Every structure is written in structure tokens, then in C-alpha cells.
Amino acid sequence: MARLRGAGQGSGIAIGTTALVRNTFGVPVPPSIPPSITKVIASRRYSEPLSVILVAEDYLHALAVANTIRWGEVAGIVAQNPASNLPPSTLPAVVGVFGVMDRVQDDQLLLLDASNGVVLLDPDPIEIAHYQAEHERLAPRQRIFLEEQHLPVKTTDGKPIQVIAQVAYSEDVEAALSAGADCLAIQRVSEGGAGFFMPSGKPLLPDNCPESKLASYFQTLLDISNGKPLFLPDSYELASPALLSLAHSADVTLLLSPREDLSGLGLQEYREVLQDVEAVSVSQELPHALPALGLQIPALSTAEAQEAELQEFVRIAVESGALRLVVDWEAERFLDTSIGWLESLCVICGNSGLPVFAVMPYLPDNEESSATLRTFIGAGVTGLVVLPEYVSLVKSEIKSTHANQCREVVLRFLQEAR
């Protein structure tokens, strides 16, 4: 799924099959029937209008051909060029969508939100469900199928747990998307080298990537991530117009290692750098948005971090603008020596509205892994980061887990350990 932004014209939501309006010598040409609609019409198996979203360079070109469409009902318009003083129309539209003619092909599913100036290309079932829940009259409903593996997972007592896939190569992304991962956490590895349990090949975002190549890597990442939110580890070197362009089209969180030598743990200082890059993007009229910032920290034992220190750390992180906290859990670290620290961290972060995600060394058919999963849920994590091949297994375990019971087990263990 790709998320594009522009300026909304009118209001309302529309979803339908894309049809591109092309020009011949400056004259807009009505689009041909998309193959999917041809197939539906031929089968005579439809009970509602076949909705079409016209995509054109200019809004007026799409509006000019809208009344000529006989094989479907035009539900909305997306235009690449910005526009003003447009004639009134009942069709919701989003204009000024940078590069949309290059990004969209005929016969793709597209959802536009004119009220917020947002265009979703190939929206995933979660986004569709969200919009359908808020807009009951959104058509077409019958042609949208929500597959269970792509829906958010909850424990038996209703606690939502995000399952994030840790990916390094394009093959990992394909596996993660098929399994229904809620987010993609990019693992940065050396060019030409493979990480643990990772295939060899071209990394999605290699370590020490030169700025001149960032745009190419980010574009590839945007193309294959299907609109999933992205966690990008950043050693304070990714700030560039290419990064802000990626954040314009995707939900991006940069994960930084905290800098104890800086007053804002490095977050405030790096945000100022990003704002300088934003000024460059504005001056060059480039699409841009600032990414969210988060922190990535190693798991510690209770003895290594007292609660007062944790409270101070979280206070500074939140005041400095951290929106997410990711904990790296080393496979060799014993859970019983660190669970008190994690539980305290989750409670303090929860009181501050800061979600905590744990990178989990999960293994299938392993009682220790299942116990660790339940312990993390009991400690209060918001989500788990696992290898892509284990996403569906972890989601299945979560669905059979009772969060409150896990919480009681963790608290009982901590009381007995004192």
C-alpha cells in the first residue's frame, strides 16, 4: 500500500478501480474498461455499481471525461497537478498528488479521502476496514474481502498486540506481507553480507549507505513495503531530502540509540537537523514530511537500572519527542534477571503514553519461546518484533493467550523474587 498526499477538493471518501486518463495532443482520452471490471461484467455477478477512480494529470481532464464512462460509476478523481478555483462537482477529489501518474497503473484498487487530502493505493484490508467502519455507505463493499491473517491480532481478553517483522532483504518483505505483519522493522546489514538467519543479496538499507544512494534504496523500500509502517534504525546519518520524501509517502519512525552526552538523548538535536533538511526540501519544492523519532535500547537487568533512573530516562525521552521505544532482547540474556526491568519500563512508559516494542528471539515449537512471549505480554509490551517467517505463528499464539492472566503470572514472579 502506498500513501500519497495532496489537497482535498470537496469532501467524502471513495474507493474503486483506477482508470488513467491519458492525453493525445493535449486532448483527454476516455479510459478503456479495466480487465477486472470486464471480468465482473462478463460474469454478471455484481449487485452494486462498479466504482471507478479517474487518475489524470489535470483535474479538468478527468472531469471532462467522467460523464462518458458507461461501464462503471465514477466515484472520485485524483489529479497530479495542483488546482484552484475549480468548478463545483459532487465527486470527491484529491489534487496536487506529486508523481501519481507514474505511481498508478490501470486496474489498481485506490481509496481517496478528500476531507484529509489522502490517497491510498492498493490499501490493505486493515485500512479498508477502518474506513468502512467509519463510513458505512462507502462503496463498493461486496468486492472487498478482509483476510483474517491481515487483521490486527488481540489476546483472548481483547488486548491488541502488534506483530512486527524484522526484515533485511526483499525476500523478507514478501514473507512478512504474506503473513500479515503489522509493521516492518528494517535490519541494516553490510552490503554483500548476510545477517543471522538472513539470505544473501542486496540489503533493503545497508550500513554506511552513502547519501547519493539513499533515494534509490528508499524508493525500492517504498515500492515493496505495500504501505506498511516502517521502523528505520538510524545512526544519525540518514537525514536527507530523500528521507523526508519517503516520510511523505509512508509512516516512518527513525530509531536512534540514545546519546547520553546530549541533553535531549540526541532526539532534540537530530530533530533540528531534520528541520534544516526540511527547509531545503521546501526551497526546492520537493515532497516532504518529518519522520517520527523513537529510541532503540538494549535490555538491562533490574540491578543495572533503578526505577528512579528509568523514570528520568522516560521523562527526557517523552519531552524530547520520542514516539516509540524498541528494546533489543538478546537471546542469551536470561529473562528472569531482566523481567523486573522490562515490567517497570512498560509501566512508566504506559503512564507517559510511550509504547514499548520488544525484539523477541522467537523459535517455533519451543516451550521457552512461548513462555517468553507470554511474559512479554504480561510485562505490558505494545508489540513484538520477530523474524518474518514466524509472524503468523506468533499471531496465532497471541490469539490463544489471556493478557490479564499473563500479567498476574509476571507480578507473582516478581513478588517471589524479592
Side-chain angles (χ1 to χ4, degrees), residues 12-24:
I13 311 294
I15 187 171
T17 301
T18 56
L20 270 64
V21 179
R22 298 176 174 87
N23 297 330
T24 301

Side-chain angles (χ1 to χ4, degrees), residues 345-391:
L345 179 68
C346 289
V347 169
I348 296 169
C349 287
N351 292 336
S352 302
L354 183 63
V356 177
F357 302 84
V359 181
M360 179 182 174
Y362 181 87
L363 294 174
D365 301 321
N366 184 289
E367 291 186 5
E368 185 175 342
S369 286
S370 295
T372 300
L373 182 148
R374 293 192 295 272
T375 302
F376 282 164
I377 292 175
V381 300
T382 299
L384 300 169
V385 184
V386 299
L387 294 179
E389 57 265 38
Y390 301 142
V391 167

Side-chain angles (χ1 to χ4, degrees), residues 27-253:
V27 178
V29 179
S32 302
I33 304 178
S36 66
I37 290 184
T38 300
K39 184 177 180 180
V40 172
I41 292 175
S43 68
R44 299 181 181 272
R45 291 197 301 265
Y46 62 94
S47 58
E48 56 184 20
L50 301 172
S51 297
V52 179
I53 305 295
L54 295 180
V55 181
E57 289 187 4
D58 191 90
Y59 172 85
L60 293 178
H61 290 170
L63 194 62
V65 305
N67 291 331
T68 69
I69 305 298
R70 297 289 180 264
W71 38 265
E73 179 179 309
V74 177
I77 294 174
V78 176
Q80 180 165 287
N81 299 332
S84 59
N85 300 321
L86 296 176
S89 172
T90 58
L91 294 174
V94 180
V95 302
V97 184
F98 181 82
V100 70
M101 291 295 287
D102 296 325
R103 297 290 300 276
V104 176
Q105 300 176 355
D106 283 311
D107 208 12
Q108 289 182 275
L109 189 64
L110 183 146
L111 188 153
L112 70 86
D113 180 352
S115 301
N116 296 298
V118 173
V119 173
L120 303 180
L121 181 61
D122 288 327
D124 61 32
I126 295 173
E127 287 286 356
I128 294 171
H130 168 73
Y131 276 97
Q132 287 184 337
E134 293 191 354
H135 305 274
E136 287 298 327
R137 299 183 64 183
L138 178 63
R141 296 180 64 85
Q142 298 300 322
R143 292 193 293 126
I144 308 303
F145 299 98
L146 302 180
E147 300 177 56
E148 184 179 359
Q149 68 266 31
H150 296 290
L151 297 177
V153 66
K154 296 181 179 180
T155 60
T156 57
D157 51 338
K159 177 179 173 60
I161 303 291
Q162 294 186 42
V163 181
I164 300 167
Q166 187 176 61
V167 297
Y169 302 91
S170 58
E171 306 97 299
D172 304 328
V173 174
E174 183 177 351
L177 295 179
S178 298
D182 299 314
C183 175
L184 302 176
I186 309 304
Q187 182 184 24
R188 301 183 64 180
V189 296
S190 301
E191 185 90 50
F196 187 55
F197 287 145
M198 295 294 180
S200 60
K202 184 178 180 181
L204 292 168
L205 185 62
D207 283 326
N208 303 316
C209 180
E211 184 175 345
S212 60
K213 292 185 177 181
L214 284 177
S216 175
Y217 279 104
F218 286 153
Q219 185 60 54
T220 299
L221 188 57
L222 181 63
D223 290 340
I224 69 174
S225 61
N226 202 30
K228 294 291 184 181
L230 303 172
F231 287 1
L232 299 183
D234 187 0
S235 299
Y236 299 86
E237 91 281 8
L238 292 182
S240 65
L243 172 66
L244 270 59
S245 178
L246 174 66
H248 177 266
S249 300
D251 181 352
V252 178
T253 299

Side-chain angles (χ1 to χ4, degrees), residues 303-338:
E304 292 175 291
Q306 300 300 320
E307 189 159 330
E309 295 175 353
L310 277 179
Q311 289 177 338
E312 179 66 8
F313 172 80
V314 173
R315 182 190 66 79
I316 296 174
V318 171
E319 290 181 355
S320 301
L323 295 181
R324 292 168 181 85
L325 184 64
V326 175
V327 178
D328 277 326
W329 208 275
E330 300 175 4
E332 62 270 18
R333 182 178 292 278
F334 292 105
L335 187 61
D336 57 358
T337 63
S338 302

